[in-house]
Amino acid sequence: MRGSISDTMPDDREFRRPQMRDRWLVRAALVVVVALQLSLHSGFAYGSRWLAPILEIILLAPLVVLSFRADMIARHAQTSQDWDAATRYRRLNIVLGVALLIVVTLANGRSLLLLLRALLGGKPHDGRALLLDALNVWATNVIVFSLWYWQLDRGGPSIGPADHVGRSEFIFPQMTLPPGTVGAEAKPGYVDYLFLSFNTSTAFSPTDTMPLTSRMKLLMMFEAYVSLLTLALVAARAVNILA
């Protein structure tokens, strides 16, 4: 029997609007990552310059299609079966999203390792290109970890208030505001995770947002370590070459 969920599902138009905006911002962030990988000057991309971007596009294309499909089903869901179909698409989106992030993370990590190996071997002599590649890897690192935080926190990106049941793994500033205060009800969006990632990569420590779980603490530690390698070793070496 197809049970109606119209009485139990709240009016989620105000919920969906920021969620849709976040998904478009994430797609734009992934396009920026692909552009950064293609713009590496010193040939530190994974295999061919096109290999990682092609793999990422292959994963991104069905991810975008399936996310649209999940949103469409959830928006017009009238029965529990409809909502179950939407959540199945959501789970598949999460799997594809994690696979895409793994590819991006490995590609950027390999670029950093090749950059460091070239430095330690004394090979690079073009300080300007080295500095640009260091900034490239650093910027990609910021975006990649912001996507990891967005993908993992609260059980992953949701398609409606009913499936957003995961507990928060961060304390954002708006969560500390008294009830009824302007902004107290605001949910963290992708920009919040991007800001968190940027601060972690520049300050090497939490600033206004505190991690609550071990895995987020480990992710932030790893991001800060990668950023420290990039800025302190690679960029410093490039400045010395330029001097």
Side-chain angles (χ1 to χ4, degrees):
M1 181 176 180
R2 298 171 61 87
S4 173
I5 58 172
S6 57
D7 296 332
T8 59
M9 288 290 293
D11 183 3
D12 58 358
R13 285 175 294 181
E14 292 301 318
F15 181 91
R16 291 186 188 281
R17 191 174 294 114
Q19 295 296 316
M20 289 293 294
R21 182 179 64 245
D22 278 353
R23 276 189 272 276
W24 279 110
L25 288 173
V26 167
R27 292 162 192 155
L30 288 167
V31 171
V32 171
V33 167
V34 172
L36 287 171
Q37 291 174 340
L38 291 174
S39 65
L40 282 169
H41 288 74
S42 304
F44 295 130
Y46 187 84
S48 167
R49 181 181 297 272
W50 294 91
L51 179 57
I54 287 175
L55 290 176
E56 290 155 11
I57 292 172
I58 289 174
L59 289 170
L60 180 59
L63 183 60
V64 171
V65 173
L66 290 174
S67 67
F68 276 122
R69 180 62 176 165
D71 286 333
M72 184 178 298
I73 295 176
R75 188 181 302 117
H76 299 96
Q78 296 295 324
T79 66
S80 57
Q81 286 83 354
D82 293 336
W83 186 253
D84 288 341
T87 54
R88 284 196 296 271
Y89 278 109
R90 173 184 177 269
R91 287 193 291 268
L92 183 56
N93 287 338
I94 291 176
V95 172
L96 285 175
V98 169
L100 177 57
L101 284 179
I102 290 174
V103 172
V104 175
T105 304
L106 291 177
N108 196 54
R110 189 173 187 275
S111 297
L112 176 60
L113 290 177
L114 291 177
L115 200 59
L116 293 174
R117 188 174 70 177
L119 264 178
L120 296 175
K123 295 179 181 179
H125 300 289
D126 188 347
R128 186 179 301 276
L130 182 61
L131 181 57
L132 289 174
D133 282 344
L135 293 174
N136 186 316
V137 171
W138 181 85
T140 304
N141 187 60
V142 170
I143 297 175
V144 167
F145 277 92
S146 71
L147 294 172
W148 274 116
Y149 301 143
W150 179 78
Q151 182 73 28
L152 296 178
D153 188 32
R154 296 172 175 264
S158 59
I159 54 176
D163 75 326
H164 210 184
V165 296
R167 66 188 182 93
S168 177
E169 298 187 63
F170 294 102
I171 298 180
F172 288 92
Q174 59 265 35
M175 296 178 181
T176 64
L177 298 175
T181 305
V182 176
E185 302 302 322
K187 302 297 182 183
Y190 176 67
V191 173
D192 295 295
Y193 297 109
L194 182 61
F195 186 69
L196 167 65
S197 182
F198 179 84
N199 288 340
T200 303
S201 286
T202 51
F204 309 120
S205 63
T207 52
D208 67 339
T209 303
M210 297 293 112
L212 297 177
T213 61
S214 297
R215 69 172 181 174
M216 290 304 176
K217 292 177 182 178
L218 291 173
L219 271 178
M220 293 179 70
M221 288 170 59
F222 187 60
E223 180 185 5
Y225 177 70
V226 172
S227 181
L228 182 62
L229 283 178
T230 307
L231 296 179
L233 296 180
V234 179
R237 173 65 173 166
V239 171
N240 289 335
I241 295 174
L242 287 173

